[in-house]
């Protein structure tokens, strides 16, 4: 096989002309003959036993041509692309111009190539860096979460229900003097003040004691999810069975000993601070990368072929499908439950896919401009990481992933590291932080 010519026919598209010798075609015909003859019935011969010459005489000289072309497809594609030296991202068309035992094969294929990208101003990109120093408030909040996790619930018998208590109640709801669907339950645990019930309900339970039977009068919100109850007045008949209170442990050295390996709260708080710092450092690093990625997306210039974006969409959807399968579902079931389609999913991921393509093109160009070369040792190390991550033999990974593609990924990571090294970091001021809503739903 030999690449006869390579011509640029339009932006990002080339026409490649490839020759297959008569000897190569004959060998391919022999290979497919051994497979196909087993299915053929030829008079005078047992099924599958006729010589090739008889089969070609009976069915026609070109009987094995199509199977031979199919047999040669991948070797022909790989040879044409490799000899062209082009960075091919997709094959648009493939045609056999000539075929014959004396002439071999002349094939033409049109391919889309990776576009030439350009990028400027990638040095000294300004990024905001989140503070990583843990605050006293964050450490206190962490201690409180651990207190809540180690609390115990006790029954209260000497007082009425208060905000924050857990009450065990029966309730039976009525509108217009009639019970309504979903308005009745027995031995229901309700945390007062959680906002779990409609406005006004929980407030009217506060102040009642164990054994009390009473009414709660409320009005359903105008935007309530059940159409038949929107804006209606309702009365709930309540019986209060039990009042429970969450008892929190004291924050002292004994608490530290119970929940950690430390003997004092001082040591424990210091360790919590380091844990929070590491968490914030990871979040800050991720934020910096995202800002740099968005900057690359904005700065890279390239005429990106649609096929690159569509293939990226394919990758995103395949990855999503694998995640669903890990959770015991699949894409087909997901789309059924969400009443979606593959086309709507593709449209949803299209913008994201386009950005990911632009990022890779931009990082590759930066790696080229900054001569960020990848060594064989680095490629080998990346292969080992993949093998370890998926728990498969190293040789299996090498058979599935080209070293060329591995090297591209390593080069792109080097480009990202370069951007980080040369970025201008602006520390985020504490006053820039927006107050967080601490309310939670029950």
């Amino acid at each position: 096989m030999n690449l006869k010519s390579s011509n640029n026919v339009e932006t990002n598209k080339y026409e490649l002309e490839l020759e297959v010798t008569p000897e190569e075609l004959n060998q391919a015909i022999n290979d497919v003959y051994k497979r196909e003859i087993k299915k053929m019935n030829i008079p005078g011969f047992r099924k599958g036993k006729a010589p090739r010459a008889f089969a070609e005489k009976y069915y026609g000289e070109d009987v094995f041509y199509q199977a031979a072309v199919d047999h040669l497809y991948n070797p022909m594609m790989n040879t044409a692309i490799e000899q062209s030296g082009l960075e091919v991202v997709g094959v648009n068309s493939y045609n056999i111009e000539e075929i014959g035992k004396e002439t071999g094969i002349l094939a033409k294929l049109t391919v889309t190539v990776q576009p030439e990208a350009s990028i400027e101003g990638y040095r000294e990109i300004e990024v905001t860096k989140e503070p990583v120093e843990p605050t006293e408030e964050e450490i206190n909040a962490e201690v409180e979460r651990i207190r809540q996790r180690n609390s115990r619930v006790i029954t209260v018998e000497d007082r009425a229900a208060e905000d924050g208590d857990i009450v065990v109640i029966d309730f039976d709801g009525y509108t217009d003097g009639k019970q309504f669907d979903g308005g009745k339950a027995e031995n229901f645990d309700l945390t007062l003040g959680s906002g779990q019930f409609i406005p006004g309900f929980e407030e009217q339970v506060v102040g009642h004691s164990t054994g009390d039977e009473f009414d709660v009068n409320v009005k359903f919100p105008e935007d309530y999810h059940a159409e038949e109850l929107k804006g209606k007045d309702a009365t709930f008949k309540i019986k209060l069975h039990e009042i429970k209170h969450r008892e929190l442990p004291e924050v002292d050295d004994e608490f530290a000993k119970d929940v950690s390996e430390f003997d004092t709260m001082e040591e424990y708080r210091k360790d919590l601070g380091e844990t929070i710092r590491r968490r914030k450092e990871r979040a800050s690093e991720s934020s910096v990368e995202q800002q740099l990625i968005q900057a690359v997306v904005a700065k890279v210039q390239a005429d990106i072929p649609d096929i690159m974006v569509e293939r990226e969409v394919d990758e995103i959807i395949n990855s999503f499908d694998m995640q669903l399968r890990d959770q015991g579902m699949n894409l087909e079931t997901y789309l059924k439950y969400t009443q979606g389609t593959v086309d709507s999913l593709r449209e949803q991921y299209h913008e994201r896919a386009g950005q990911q393509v632009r990022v890779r093109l931009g990082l590759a160009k930066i790696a080229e401009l900054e001569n960020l070369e990848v060594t064989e040792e680095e490629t080998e190390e990346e292969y080992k990481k993949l093998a370890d991550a998926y728990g498969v033999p190293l040789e299996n990974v090498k058979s599935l992933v080209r070293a060329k593609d591995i090297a591209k990924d390593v080069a792109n990571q080097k480009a990202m590291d370069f951007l980080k090294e040369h970025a201008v970091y602006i520390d985020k001021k504490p006053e820039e932080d927006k107050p967080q809503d601490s309310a939670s739903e029950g």
Side-chain angles (χ1 to χ4, degrees):
M1 297 181 193
N2 179 59
L3 181 66
K4 185 177 179 182
S5 64
S6 172
N7 299 301
N8 184 201
V9 291
E10 59 180 275
T11 303
N12 299 324
K13 283 189 180 179
Y14 279 75
E15 183 182 78
L16 307 181
E17 196 171 45
L18 182 74
E19 295 176 317
V20 176
T21 66
E23 294 77 17
E24 290 168 329
L25 174 59
N26 186 61
Q27 181 59 55
I29 291 174
N30 269 333
D31 291 340
V32 298
Y33 153 74
K34 293 173 185 177
R35 184 185 70 226
E36 298 296 323
I37 194 62
K38 297 175 184 177
K39 310 170 189 174
M40 295 179 172
N41 288 310
I42 297 175
F45 296 91
R46 284 183 295 141
K47 186 176 180 178
K49 297 299 181 180
R52 172 182 158 186
F54 280 86
E56 290 177 334
K57 183 176 181 181
Y58 186 77
Y59 286 103
E61 186 180 74
D62 60 355
V63 61
F64 298 115
Y65 278 9
Q66 185 58 54
V69 169
D70 294 342
H71 183 69
L72 289 168
Y73 178 80
N74 283 334
M76 290 171 67
M77 291 297 107
N78 293 336
T79 298
I81 291 170
E82 184 178 344
Q83 292 186 5
S84 73
L86 299 171
E87 192 68 37
V88 174
V89 296
V91 177
N92 300 86
S93 64
Y94 167 73
N95 296 299
I96 301 298
E97 301 293 313
E98 295 177 14
I99 184 170
K101 293 179 181 177
E102 304 300 323
T103 59
I105 297 175
L106 178 63
K108 285 185 179 180
L109 59 151
T110 305
V111 297
T112 298
V113 300
Q114 182 168 296
E116 181 62 33
S118 63
I119 186 168
E120 296 179 357
Y122 57 85
R123 286 173 176 257
E124 299 184 347
I125 296 173
E126 287 190 0
V127 292
T128 301
K129 191 171 184 180
E130 300 284 340
V132 299
E133 192 67 30
T135 65
E136 285 298 308
E137 289 78 9
E138 289 170 331
I139 296 174
N140 290 340
E142 191 69 24
V143 170
E144 186 60 27
R145 278 192 288 271
I146 295 164
R147 281 185 80 205
Q148 293 289 340
R149 199 162 62 230
N150 287 273
S151 64
R152 67 190 184 102
V153 177
I154 60 173
T155 299
V156 175
E157 298 177 344
D158 58 350
R159 63 170 174 80
E162 298 176 354
D163 205 32
D165 285 342
I166 302 165
V167 292
V168 182
I169 59 172
D170 296 343
F171 61 85
D172 191 5
Y174 295 80
T175 58
D176 300 326
K178 297 179 181 179
Q179 289 180 318
F180 57 88
D181 290 341
K184 183 175 182 177
E186 295 181 350
N187 295 313
F188 187 90
D189 280 9
L190 172 64
T191 300
L192 300 179
S194 65
Q196 185 176 356
F197 279 23
I198 60 176
F201 187 104
E202 295 166 25
E203 292 87 339
Q204 294 180 56
V205 178
V206 171
H208 286 282
S209 300
T210 300
D212 285 358
E213 296 185 29
F214 54 95
D215 290 348
V216 165
N217 297 301
V218 293
K219 187 182 184 69
F220 281 98
E222 295 293 341
D223 59 352
Y224 194 67
H225 60 83
E227 187 68 34
E228 67 277 9
L229 296 175
K230 287 183 177 180
K232 280 203 169 187
D233 292 322
T235 297
F236 287 86
K237 296 188 176 301
I238 311 295
K239 182 170 183 178
L240 200 164
H241 293 292
E242 186 180 6
I243 301 169
K244 296 183 285 187
H245 176 67
R246 192 176 295 279
E247 187 177 76
L248 300 174
E250 292 293 327
V251 179
D252 53 20
D253 291 345
E254 289 303 315
F255 174 72
K257 290 176 184 177
D258 288 341
V259 300
S260 74
E261 60 188 26
F262 301 100
D263 292 328
T264 67
M265 273 306 297
E266 183 180 357
E267 293 172 307
Y268 185 40
R269 286 178 65 87
K270 183 177 180 182
D271 182 70
L272 287 176
E274 289 304 312
T275 300
I276 294 169
R277 184 197 307 278
R278 289 191 294 271
R279 185 168 66 229
K280 294 178 73 173
E281 283 174 347
R282 290 193 296 270
S284 178
E285 184 79 4
S286 176
S287 174
V288 165
E289 282 200 6
Q290 287 304 311
Q291 291 175 69
L292 291 172
I293 283 171
Q294 292 305 313
V296 170
V297 169
K299 292 176 182 297
V300 69
Q301 299 293 319
D303 187 0
I304 299 174
D306 290 340
I307 192 171
M308 290 186 75
V309 179
E310 293 305 320
R311 285 196 170 184
E312 189 66 25
V313 172
D314 291 339
E315 290 296 321
I316 294 173
I317 291 177
N318 288 339
S319 177
F320 182 51
D321 187 27
M322 289 178 64
Q323 292 175 19
L324 290 172
R325 290 176 188 277
D326 287 342
Q327 300 168 15
M329 195 183 281
N330 59 34
L331 187 62
E332 183 179 355
T333 306
Y334 170 82
L335 291 174
K336 179 181 176 181
Y337 283 134
T338 59
Q339 298 183 333
T341 64
V342 173
D343 286 342
S344 65
L345 201 61
R346 295 187 70 85
E347 183 178 351
Q348 175 185 334
Y349 288 133
H350 193 271
E351 182 178 356
R352 172 180 161 188
Q355 289 192 350
Q356 290 181 181
V357 170
R358 295 184 73 82
V359 169
R360 282 204 301 275
L361 289 173
L363 291 176
K365 191 62 179 181
I366 291 169
E368 175 192 327
L369 293 171
E370 299 297 335
N371 298 314
L372 304 176
E373 298 180 354
V374 178
T375 66
E376 290 184 11
E377 290 78 8
E378 289 171 326
T379 301
E380 187 69 17
E381 183 61 31
E382 195 64 22
Y383 266 129
K384 290 178 181 176
K385 287 180 183 178
L386 284 174
D388 291 343
Y390 289 100
V392 297
L394 180 61
E395 293 308 313
N396 287 16
V397 179
K398 289 185 175 181
S399 68
L400 294 171
V401 187
R402 299 183 305 172
K404 183 178 180 181
D405 294 330
I406 291 287
K408 283 182 183 178
D409 290 341
V410 175
N412 285 356
Q413 185 56 55
K414 285 189 169 188
M416 176 55 71
D417 292 340
F418 178 90
L419 291 177
K420 291 178 187 176
E421 183 182 347
H422 293 82
V424 175
Y425 293 91
I426 302 171
D427 291 333
K428 186 175 181 179
K429 301 292 190 298
E431 57 268 20
E432 293 178 47
D433 292 322
K434 293 181 180 179
Q436 299 297 312
D437 185 0
S438 59
S440 59
E441 295 183 2

